[in-house]
């Protein structure tokens, strides 16, 4: 029961991340911190073993953050997006996280095309800012809800 409550909290935080990124192109550090700090409670609620499971989750979170921080350094991603992905990696085992990355990439590509089309139609001269947090949030919601929605998997 506690695990489901924590997943519901995560879902709410993801919706807030998507909404704020869409509105202001910023995902607040406090929101990313909340996602990260709730993960150990989720580990405890699901009965995750201290070793090696928790260590692997922590390692995945650090690795994901480091890889995407490199993309941030190249100007390919926003800082809030990087932090949100790193925090989400603390919640999901490697296979569900890879699913998240695939879904996020597909949604992010579609979102990019939509934003570029809007820029072209409006004849805006500024570089378009892609609210990638929307793609991350939808992918996260998809992956965390999949076991509940797809009972045959």
């Amino acid at each position: 029961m506690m695990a489901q409550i924590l997943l519901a909290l995560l879902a709410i935080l993801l919706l807030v991340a998507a909404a704020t990124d869409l509105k202001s192109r910023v995902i607040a550090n406090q929101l990313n911190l909340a996602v990260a700090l709730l993960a150990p409670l989720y580990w405890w609620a699901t009965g995750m073993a201290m070793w090696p499971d928790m260590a692997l989750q922590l390692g995945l979170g650090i690795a994901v953050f480091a890889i995407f921080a490199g993309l941030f350094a190249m100007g390919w991603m926003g800082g809030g997006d990087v932090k949100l992905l790193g925090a989400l990696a603390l919640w999901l085992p490697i296979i569900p996280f890879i699913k998240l990355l695939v879904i996020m990439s597909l949604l992010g590509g579609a979102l990019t095309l939509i934003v570029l089309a809007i820029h072209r139609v409006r004849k805006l001269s500024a570089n378009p800012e892609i609210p990638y947090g929307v793609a991350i949030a939808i992918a996260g919601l998809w992956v965390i809800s999949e076991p509940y929605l797809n009972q045959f998997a």
Side-chain angles (χ1 to χ4, degrees):
M1 178 69 166
M2 183 63 160
Q4 286 79 13
I5 292 170
L6 290 166
L7 284 173
L9 273 171
L10 176 60
I12 291 167
L13 291 171
L14 288 173
L15 290 170
V16 171
T20 58
D21 197 28
L22 195 57
K23 181 180 177 188
S24 64
R25 303 297 191 266
V26 173
I27 301 173
N29 287 334
Q30 297 89 337
L31 188 139
N32 289 324
L33 185 61
V35 172
L37 292 177
L38 286 172
L41 293 175
Y42 180 71
W43 301 343
W44 173 76
T46 58
M48 186 181 281
M50 181 79 109
W51 183 261
D53 298 334
M54 288 184 191
L56 289 172
Q57 275 313 129
L58 190 57
L60 178 63
I62 292 168
V64 165
F65 180 79
I67 290 166
F68 284 95
L71 295 177
F72 169 76
M74 291 186 279
W76 295 356
M77 283 193 90
D81 302 330
V82 170
K83 291 176 251 185
L84 182 58
L85 280 168
L88 276 173
L90 295 172
W91 285 76
L92 301 170
I94 186 77
I95 299 301
F97 190 76
I98 290 171
K99 283 183 188 180
L100 179 141
L101 292 177
V102 170
I103 295 165
M104 174 197 78
S105 298
L106 294 170
L107 293 170
L111 184 63
T112 300
L113 292 175
I114 291 167
V115 169
L116 290 175
I118 291 169
H119 255 63
R120 182 162 292 231
V121 168
R122 292 184 179 170
K123 299 179 194 253
L124 300 173
S125 60
N127 286 334
E129 290 186 33
I130 312 301
Y132 219 81
V134 173
I136 296 167
I138 293 171
L141 290 168
W142 184 315
V143 171
I144 65 173
S145 67
E146 186 179 24
Y148 300 101
L149 299 177
N150 186 2
Q151 296 297 311
F152 301 109

